[in-house]
Amino acid sequence: VGGPAMRASQEDFANAMSQVKLLKKDPGNEVKLKLYALYKQATEGPCNVPKPGVLDFVVKAKWDAWNALGGLSKEAARRSYVDLVSSLSASSSGRATPAADGKRADSDHVLVTSEDGITAITLNRPTKKNALNTQMYHDIMLALKAAGKDSSTITVLTGSGDYYCSGNDLSNFKDVPSGRPEESAQRSAVLLRDFVDCFIDFPKPLIAVVNGPAIGISVTLLGLFDAVYATDRATFHTPFSHLGQSPEGCSSYVFPKMMGPSKAAEMLIFGKKLTAQEAFAQGLVTEVFPDSTFQKEVWARLKAYAKLPPNSVRISKQLLRSQEKERLHAVNAEESRALQERWVSAECHDAIAAFLSRKAKL
Ligand SMILES: CCCCC/C=C/CC(=O)SCCNC(=O)CCNC(=O)[C@H](O)C(C)(C)COP(=O)(O)OP(=O)(O)OC[C@H]1O[C@@H](n2cnc3c(N)ncnc32)[C@H](O)[C@@H]1OP(=O)(O)O
């Protein structure tokens, strides 16, 4: 993936830096800080300058924003910068944006809260069943990097509304510049790989609170969580073949180990949808709760876990993960490569076109 993607990205980055000066609307301090942080990370790498004094408000805010990006790669920072500028330019010129719902894609779709020793990352795009658009992948990565370094003991991923997540936003495929599908597939494969790497490397316990149906990448990633609590209303569906695609999130390795090869094949090759109880029986879900008491019971449990000594919990998590880490990174790279090819296939294009023209639904 190295050369061409990197050069294209640097060119895009230079264009984005020029575009940012031409914005008609002031994007506000929060966005400006984000732009600053991504710029610094993209050009200088992780923040390693000394922390400024608390009274130096502006410098401290800038330092915090940069430092929150943790070890995000320069390449990923460049891409996030380019995506952010492009969504700002679109909204300031009134053009349509890459977001599927026509609104500017920003961190409104990924909420982060931190209290009682728990950092919660909430997918907040309920009108689209929390489908993941490109900006959300970037926002989740940023949120995970920050959560990995904050003072919380555990991190939770959940969804707002009736779905946990309907997987990749299939409208992402609409934004391919004409004549450049290969380039776009390559960029998406890099993003996918970086995204899944964040889950593989996450340094403290990561818990999924599956508040409703889960589809696609939101299911496969569950194999990289330390615990998965689900409402009995949740279902688990990986319709990759129906979409002309192939598994990701390390599921091609983790699922067969977890549930045995034939049950994994039913899900990942034939797209069998599991109920919450079935997913529990296969080891994908840790525990299922009645929907009526789900939130109350799960959050009470999480608050108790979050009171455990944070360093001990973190070290145990890392020990459990360390045996498999290298292997998981290799699997992630392989799955991302396979998907890069799938995304330019006729099988995939036909399936996505059918969904987008509302002919097909799962
Ligand atoms: C960096 C790239 C990484 C890529 C990694 C790859 C991952 C692979 C996957 O994740 S594969 C899974 C992809 N997901 C799907 O195929 C789900 C598609 N959605 C549906 O089949 C249905 O919408 C549903 C079953 C989730 C829900 O059906 P329901 O009838 O209850 O509701 P609606 O269909 O009316 O949905 C409400 C609006 O939400 C939009 N929407 C839902 N899911 C997606 C999605 N994944 N992508 C885009 N849009 C989605 C839906 O179109 C409706 O929008 P509208 O109100 O504007 O019509």
Side-chain angles (χ1 to χ4, degrees):
V1 225
M6 195 96 91
R7 278 196 297 277
S9 178
Q10 254 152 359
E11 205 180 301
D12 291 345
F13 185 56
N15 286 338
M17 282 193 284
S18 320
Q19 258 179 33
V20 98
K21 295 182 192 124
L22 303 174
L23 289 176
K24 293 194 186 103
K25 276 195 269 174
D26 183 331
N29 284 343
E30 203 176 318
V31 174
K32 282 198 253 179
L33 276 177
K34 199 162 174 182
L35 283 169
Y36 167 82
L38 288 168
Y39 171 80
K40 294 293 275 185
Q41 191 88 2
T43 52
E44 295 177 34
C47 173
N48 56 11
V49 297
K51 189 173 181 168
V54 278
L55 293 179
D56 208 348
F57 296 116
V58 176
V59 180
K60 167 86 169 31
K62 287 168 128 180
W63 187 92
D64 284 342
W66 183 14
N67 190 49
L69 297 180
L72 187 73
S73 70
K74 283 186 172 179
E75 195 188 329
R78 249 196 326 265
R79 275 199 315 276
S80 294
Y81 183 93
V82 170
D83 287 345
L84 182 55
V85 173
S86 126
S87 69
L88 292 171
S89 309
S91 77
S92 99
S93 67
R95 274 191 290 117
T97 76
D101 56 8
K103 290 188 208 127
R104 189 165 68 79
D106 61 19
S107 53
D108 291 350
H109 292 150
V110 177
L111 305 178
V112 183
T113 56
S114 221
E115 63 179 314
D116 298 326
I118 305 171
T119 292
I121 303 171
T122 304
L123 308 176
N124 184 40
R125 206 179 166 217
T127 54
K128 298 288 176 185
K129 311 294 183 193
N130 297 326
L132 301 172
N133 62 30
T134 305
Q135 187 61 49
M136 288 168 79
Y137 287 105
H138 289 290
D139 288 341
I140 294 167
M141 286 197 285
L142 291 179
L144 285 173
K145 297 277 184 200
K149 292 165 77 176
D150 71 16
S151 60
S152 64
T153 307
I154 59 175
T155 300
V156 169
L157 184 67
T158 190
S160 64
D162 60 341
Y163 260 65
Y164 173 65
C165 174
S166 63
N168 188 36
D169 186 329
L170 297 176
S171 310
N172 291 342
F173 290 93
K174 275 201 304 205
D175 306 319
V176 177
S178 58
R180 292 160 64 194
E182 282 80 10
E183 236 176 75
S184 177
Q186 189 179 46
R187 252 200 324 272
S188 297
V190 173
L191 175 57
L192 173 64
R193 186 173 166 179
D194 287 349
F195 181 71
V196 175
D197 275 347
C198 285
F199 286 83
I200 297 172
D201 292 330
F202 195 68
K204 53 174 85 162
L206 185 60
I207 293 165
V209 172
V210 184
N211 56 298
I215 304 178
I217 189 165
S218 70
V219 176
T220 54
L221 282 174
L222 294 176
L224 297 175
F225 282 67
D226 302 291
V228 177
Y229 298 128
T231 160
D232 57 8
R233 218 172 37 76
T235 51
F236 299 83
H237 194 187
T238 46
F240 300 127
S241 302
H242 298 74
L243 293 166
Q245 299 187 35
S246 51
E248 76 299 282
C250 297
S251 57
S252 61
Y253 174 66
V254 175
F255 279 27
K257 265 177 64 131
M258 178 191 278
M259 53 183 81
S262 69
K263 291 293 180 189
E266 270 199 310
M267 279 193 85
L268 297 176
I269 304 178
F270 302 119
K272 184 180 178 200
K273 189 201 282 190
L274 302 193
T275 62
Q277 281 303 341
E278 287 168 337
F280 170 69
Q282 302 311 336
L284 182 60
V285 164
T286 314
E287 194 169 330
V288 181
F289 296 80
D291 195 51
S292 56
T293 54
F294 174 63
Q295 296 289 347
K296 198 170 157 225
E297 286 194 60
V298 168
W299 288 101
R301 168 105 42 113
L302 295 176
K303 279 181 190 169
Y305 289 167
K307 290 200 176 93
L308 292 166
N311 291 332
S312 169
V313 158
R314 173 189 277 262
I315 286 163
S316 300
K317 150 80 194 232
Q318 290 179 9
L319 281 170
L320 263 73
R321 177 54 49 92
S322 65
Q323 309 301 326
E324 289 285 29
K325 221 178 204 183
E326 213 175 303
R327 183 67 199 258
L328 291 170
H329 282 301
V331 172
N332 181 26
E334 188 55 37
E335 290 178 343
S336 302
R337 241 189 319 272
L339 264 173
Q340 183 178 331
E341 284 177 24
R342 289 282 79 218
W343 285 327
V344 291
S345 72
E347 287 179 345
C348 179
H349 282 192
D350 293 349
I352 305 295
F355 175 79
L356 294 176
S357 63
R358 295 294 181 267
K359 280 191 228 131
K361 201 175 266 193
L362 293 171

